[in-house]
Amino acid sequence: MKKFLTLALAAVLAAGMMAGCGPAAPSNSSSAPADGSAASDAAPAPTGDTIKIGVLAPLTGSVSTYGTAVKNGLEMAKEEINAAGGILGKQVELLIEDEKGDVTEATNAYNKLLSQGIVALIGDVTSQPSNAVAQLAADPSDGTPMLTPTGTAANITLNGSNIFRTCFLDPFQGQIMATFASEKLGAKTAAIMYNSSSDYSQGLADSFKTTAEAKGMTVVSYEAYGDADTDFKSQLTNVVAANPDVLFLPDYYEKLALISAQARDAGFQGPMLGADGWDGVLAQLGDNTAVVDGCYFSNHYFVDDTDEKVATFVSNYEGKYNGEVPNAFAALGYDSLYIMKQAIEAAGSTDKAAITSALQAVSYSGVTGDMTFDENGDPIKKVAIIKLQDGAVTLDSKM
């Protein structure tokens, strides 16, 4: 089983020049190519030399691993699509901006992309910048179709009918992991530690707690910490004293590497559970991966899935990026560009309103699964439950 490596990746979406409508659109039910090439179902081309798609991602800063992974997935998809003739007969140009994981940087970068004539946006990557940009894109004076590959906070897509996401939501992950703890692990009690500075962490914690209690579990400890904290002795002392069956830790991999090691040192030996922010924790832990043995987290796909689309994507990605194993952020980035391609071709146009309407009707089969969008622009799809053991990941189940 491959080790679950964190990726230092690079790439992300381009921006397309405003173009006129083409004639009849192809079907909007499709999938990513299983052989690594793009389907050649292009409608007559719009005017302009390229289709410009904007991309926002943190390529530097504390969450750059996620941004680079998304960028790499996008760039691989772009190369495949362009090699197969592009979209509506035009080459895809990705206009990529590094927003450093910062809300102000993200909104400034988005305005820059608008000035460059993008027809759609893929991004942002993390939840707070995604929500800030979604508020701008949803303004009636704007209307740019926005697809975040990985922004999981529930409020992002509620900003407007032109806002979509490829990943599932934080509340859904919290529900799934509480259900998993109760039904698969037989847990009767749970402790929760969350980052009070993070909408992502807070949302997951709230959702897990609500579902756990609905399942008859008792939350025996509910502990908060700040984003700058590195010493969690106080919170973990309370957790260990409460003796929970499981400990839910919804945060990103850098913080999780610290907490998981300190939890074991404090005497907690039970399963620790988390969400997609755990993706990359093994690489962050280095030689200390034993501290997360027997832990589980929800994720968007499993790298060793035997599905042909997944296997082909992983093989092509490793070949392109010097043996790097694609994490879920890379897979979501890859799927996001193919989803946008499908929508633009279904619209037969680069008109923003037409693309938005086509996205609302998308039915897509890709690396991260089969999906459609609900009335809020959120995907309807399954979740992979990943188990960590002996420095490697395995697929426990899909829920």
Side-chain angles (χ1 to χ4, degrees):
M1 203 56 77
K2 294 185 181 77
K3 286 196 176 182
F4 202 69
L5 302 178
T6 242
L7 304 180
L9 312 126
V12 75
L13 293 178
M17 295 184 68
M18 296 296 289
C21 297
S27 168
N28 64 340
S29 177
S30 68
S31 64
D35 63 356
S37 64
S40 181
D41 54 356
T47 59
D49 296 325
T50 61
I51 298 237
K52 293 182 180 178
I53 299 173
V55 176
L56 292 174
L59 304 180
T60 57
S62 63
V63 290
S64 59
T65 291
Y66 298 136
T68 11
V70 169
K71 175 177 174 284
N72 283 0
L74 283 168
E75 289 194 339
M76 191 170 90
K78 181 197 75 172
E79 290 177 7
E80 293 175 1
I81 291 168
N82 284 344
I87 300 175
L88 302 181
K90 299 298 181 181
Q91 294 289 281
V92 175
E93 181 185 357
L94 295 180
L95 302 184
I96 303 167
E97 291 291 327
D98 175 14
E99 44 72 89
K100 305 176 179 64
D102 179 80
V103 168
T104 301
E105 293 273 358
T107 55
N108 290 340
Y110 176 66
N111 287 326
K112 177 181 177 182
L113 290 172
L114 285 181
S115 73
Q116 294 173 314
I118 62 170
V119 302
L121 175 72
I122 296 179
D124 209 321
V125 169
T126 57
S127 290
Q128 288 179 320
S130 293
N131 189 53
V133 172
Q135 292 174 23
L136 299 179
D139 189 280
S141 65
D142 184 339
T144 299
M146 170 181 164
L147 176 63
T148 170
T150 54
T152 52
N155 58 347
I156 295 171
T157 53
L158 299 181
N159 283 289
S161 60
N162 59 319
I163 313 299
F164 302 83
R165 78 178 97 220
T166 310
C167 58
F168 39 69
L169 290 78
D170 292 342
F172 185 54
Q173 292 191 82
Q175 293 165 19
I176 288 291
M177 292 311 295
T179 300
F180 176 79
S182 175
E183 297 181 1
K184 299 294 181 72
L185 300 182
K188 302 299 183 186
T189 58
I192 300 170
M193 281 180 59
Y194 69 96
N195 185 341
S196 60
S197 305
S198 166
D199 291 344
Y200 169 79
S201 186
Q202 177 76 70
L204 281 162
D206 290 346
S207 176
F208 183 95
K209 182 176 185 292
T210 298
T211 304
E213 291 173 342
K215 293 284 182 182
M217 296 170 62
T218 301
V219 176
V220 295
S221 183
Y222 196 71
E223 306 290 331
Y225 56 86
D227 199 47
D229 291 350
T230 57
D231 184 342
F232 307 95
K233 182 178 180 179
S234 175
Q235 294 92 337
L236 289 168
T237 297
N238 293 337
V239 167
V240 172
N243 193 31
D245 295 328
V246 297
L247 171 58
F248 185 57
L249 298 172
D251 209 335
Y252 295 117
Y253 63 94
E254 290 183 320
K255 193 72 71 178
L256 293 166
L258 295 174
I259 298 173
S260 59
Q262 291 180 35
R264 296 309 191 204
D265 288 342
F268 180 74
Q269 298 304 318
M272 291 178 280
L273 312 178
D276 58 344
W278 278 62
D279 197 349
V281 72
L282 289 180
Q284 187 71 26
L285 285 165
D287 295 333
N288 198 31
T289 59
V291 299
V292 292
D293 281 354
C295 297
Y296 302 84
F297 66 96
S298 56
N299 210 356
H300 307 269
Y301 97 126
F302 176 56
V303 70
D304 286 320
D305 198 312
T306 56
D307 181 273
E308 182 181 359
K309 287 186 290 293
V310 176
T312 300
F313 164 74
V314 172
S315 176
N316 290 346
Y317 190 97
E318 290 177 340
K320 179 174 175 59
Y321 295 111
N322 300 316
E324 293 284 359
V325 179
N327 64 15
F329 284 70
L332 288 164
Y334 179 88
D335 275 351
S336 292
L337 188 53
Y338 273 106
I339 291 169
M340 193 63 75
K341 170 184 182 289
Q342 181 179 320
I344 294 171
E345 289 178 337
S349 165
T350 55
D351 175 75
K352 292 181 177 182
I355 296 171
T356 293
S357 294
L359 280 168
Q360 291 166 345
V362 154
S363 177
Y364 175 78
S365 179
V367 174
T368 61
D370 300 338
M371 58 169 283
T372 57
F373 290 120
D374 68 13
E375 65 277 9
N376 293 324
D378 297 322
I380 301 169
K381 63 197 299 190
K382 287 187 176 181
V383 178
I385 307 297
I386 307 298
K387 182 177 182 179
L388 298 166
Q389 189 69 42
D390 299 325
V393 294
T394 57
L395 178 65
D396 179 87
S397 56
K398 290 184 179 181
M399 296 179 68

